[in-house]
Amino acid sequence: MTTFRPLYDRVLVKRLEAEEKTASGLFLPESAKEKPQQAEVIAVGTGRVGKDGTVHPLTVSQGDLVIFGKYVGDEVKLDGIEHIILREEDILAVFDR
Amino acid sequence: MTTFRPLYDRVLVKRLEAEEKTASGLFLPESAKEKPQQAEVIAVGTGRVGKDGTVHPLTVSQGDLVIFGKYVGDEVKLDGIEHIILREEDILAVFDR
Amino acid sequence: MTTFRPLYDRVLVKRLEAEEKTASGLFLPESAKEKPQQAEVIAVGTGRVGKDGTVHPLTVSQGDLVIFGKYVGDEVKLDGIEHIILREEDILAVFDR
Amino acid sequence: MTTFRPLYDRVLVKRLEAEEKTASGLFLPESAKEKPQQAEVIAVGTGRVGKDGTVHPLTVSQGDLVIFGKYVGDEVKLDGIEHIILREEDILAVFDR
Amino acid sequence: MTTFRPLYDRVLVKRLEAEEKTASGLFLPESAKEKPQQAEVIAVGTGRVGKDGTVHPLTVSQGDLVIFGKYVGDEVKLDGIEHIILREEDILAVFDR
Amino acid sequence: MTTFRPLYDRVLVKRLEAEEKTASGLFLPESAKEKPQQAEVIAVGTGRVGKDGTVHPLTVSQGDLVIFGKYVGDEVKLDGIEHIILREEDILAVFDR
Amino acid sequence: MTTFRPLYDRVLVKRLEAEEKTASGLFLPESAKEKPQQAEVIAVGTGRVGKDGTVHPLTVSQGDLVIFGKYVGDEVKLDGIEHIILREEDILAVFDR
């Protein structure tokens, strides 16, 4: 299995499956453009870099369910599954089911 | 019920209903474009991030009535109700009824 | 009556009436576009936010007469009267009559 | 008489009259576009705001003769006389006659 | 043999060969435009420069396998082999096989 | 004679005459567009302003021969002679004859 | 002979001759546009200026062989020879032969 270490403020996420979305109580219509997307956090970077160069740990952790803007991030296929690499600032909120 | 934790300087709000607006003494004409909107704060992030990376608590709190610019934020439907995720700097003022 | 708490460096102002303008000795021609406007400060935010996240009190206070650029700010109608929400940096000067 | 208190790094100036210009030894052709202009400083703000929010006193003072770029600033008519409100960084130099 | 010392936050990388990619479990389709690329780190700079001018060591080291955005960096041919010079912030993640 | 005090990081310069240029060993072709220009420093400001608002003395001094980009600065005619007001960061280098 | 003192983070370089390039083991095709260029450092400034105004010495020194992006810098002819004035951040790497 491939392991993945996102850099600094980057976060690796995997989009939620349809059944997972239904269970979340959070409804994000597919049809609307630029609506937020639901995903699970798979791996996080060491932290965001302040202007003075120091690194501050991220707020999200592995396993968190998050929503993020539709057109942000880079897509990678990891062990056959689509993932997305985001910057933490592109994540709008963490939610619980 | 879904719980929601906005990140950093983000704020989850719900637009006020027509009767709530009338009671507020604050009149924001529907017809005018880009006029501010009235909303109630539902959940707030941990704080805005200074350039040095430290986090400063937000000024608005859950239950506050706020106004914000019409075309800012991301829409999400939470437990069947439309909500908006804003950055705190998009909130113009808090008002009391 | 509605009370209003502008956020951070925001300032709530009300444009001066015609007779108040005449009395001010300050003449700002109506016809010219993008000329400054005269207004009275109604409420001020807690302060402007430095890049390090700290908050510094504003220079203008309630009751000050100010001028500001014509096309800045957001309009709100409060208890039936037009007001404008500005950022303090959009205020050019305070004047006395 | 109206008194005027420019905010922060703003400076109130009055353009020099033709005879004052001739006496200055400084020639700025009227015909050329975007050439600097000559003016006298009438009032200055409390200072420019550093990125950390602290305020630093201005370098120019009341009575200084200055030159500034032609298309900067906001025009106001004060006690019947045209004035301009500039930011101090738009002032290129102070000169003596 | 030519030795190479990238400056500050710059990183010299070499794209992975086809067989190396297959072994990585990381699949990045060739056809899709602007998809991330896989590479090995050959040399790194002394560190990224904070806004105050101090230098902070990089996170990636020689020998790391990384992915980066397709259209970033400058190409150089070193001892007959194509290499790319990136800024560290263009590197999305480090991965292990 | 008019004296001139440039503000902060501004520098007053006078273009070199043809014979002075020939003597300099520095050849800057007239025909090429956006080529650097040769000039002598006549007066300098108190210093450049750091982001925290402090002022740092300039590196160039009165009498220095400098080169700067062709299309930067503001032209002023001082005691009948053309001068240019630059920001110090527009000066590329100091040279000696 | 003309001496040359680049300001702050500026660096004076001279492009390598064809035979010097061949000896370097570094091949940068002439035909490709916007490919990096090879040069020798002739003189360096006192250092780059941090946001707080302090000056930090440069990493490159006189005699270093460097590569830089093709379309950066200003050209000057010094004692009959073409040179280029760069900012240090436009230099990608130092290499040894």
Side-chain angles (χ1 to χ4, degrees), chain A residues 24-28 35-36 48 50-52 54 56 58-60 64 67 88-89 91-96, chain B residues 1-8 10 46 49 51-55 74-80 82 85 87:
Chain A
S24 76
L26 182 70
F27 180 72
L28 303 170
K35 291 281 167 172
R48 71 208 135 68
K51 283 285 177 196
D52 59 356
T54 56
H56 300 257
L58 299 186
T59 281
V60 297
D64 278 354
I67 67 170
E88 194 195 34
E89 68 167 13
I91 297 177
L92 303 172
V94 175
F95 64 95
D96 302 315
Chain B
M1 196 194 125
T2 311
T3 63
F4 220 82
R5 193 156 49 89
L7 253 66
Y8 299 109
R10 285 188 169 96
T46 48
V49 180
K51 283 286 176 195
D52 59 356
T54 56
V55 175
D74 290 280
E75 294 182 10
V76 295
K77 207 165 191 171
L78 196 60
D79 296 320
E82 282 278 3
I85 304 173
R87 287 180 177 273

Side-chain angles (χ1 to χ4, degrees), chain A residues 1-8 10 46 49-55 74-80 82 85 87, chain E residues 24-28 34-36 48 50-52 54 56 58-60 64 67 88-89 91-96:
Chain A
M1 197 193 126
T2 310
T3 63
F4 220 81
R5 193 157 49 88
L7 253 65
Y8 298 109
R10 285 189 168 96
T46 48
V49 180
K51 283 285 177 196
D52 59 356
T54 56
V55 174
D74 290 280
E75 294 183 10
V76 294
K77 207 165 191 172
L78 197 60
D79 297 319
E82 282 277 4
I85 303 173
R87 288 181 176 274
Chain E
S24 76
L26 182 70
F27 180 71
L28 303 169
E34 303 197 22
K35 291 281 169 171
R48 71 207 134 68
K51 284 285 178 196
D52 59 356
T54 56
H56 299 258
L58 300 186
T59 282
V60 298
D64 278 354
I67 67 170
E88 194 196 36
E89 68 167 13
I91 297 177
L92 303 172
V94 175
F95 64 94
D96 302 316

Side-chain angles (χ1 to χ4, degrees), chain B residues 8-25:
Chain B
Y8 299 109
D9 64 336
R10 285 188 169 96
V11 175
L12 181 75
V13 305
K14 196 182 64 168
R15 278 203 190 79
L16 290 195
E17 305 288 333
E19 64 268 32
E20 292 175 304
K21 287 191 206 171
T22 305
S24 75

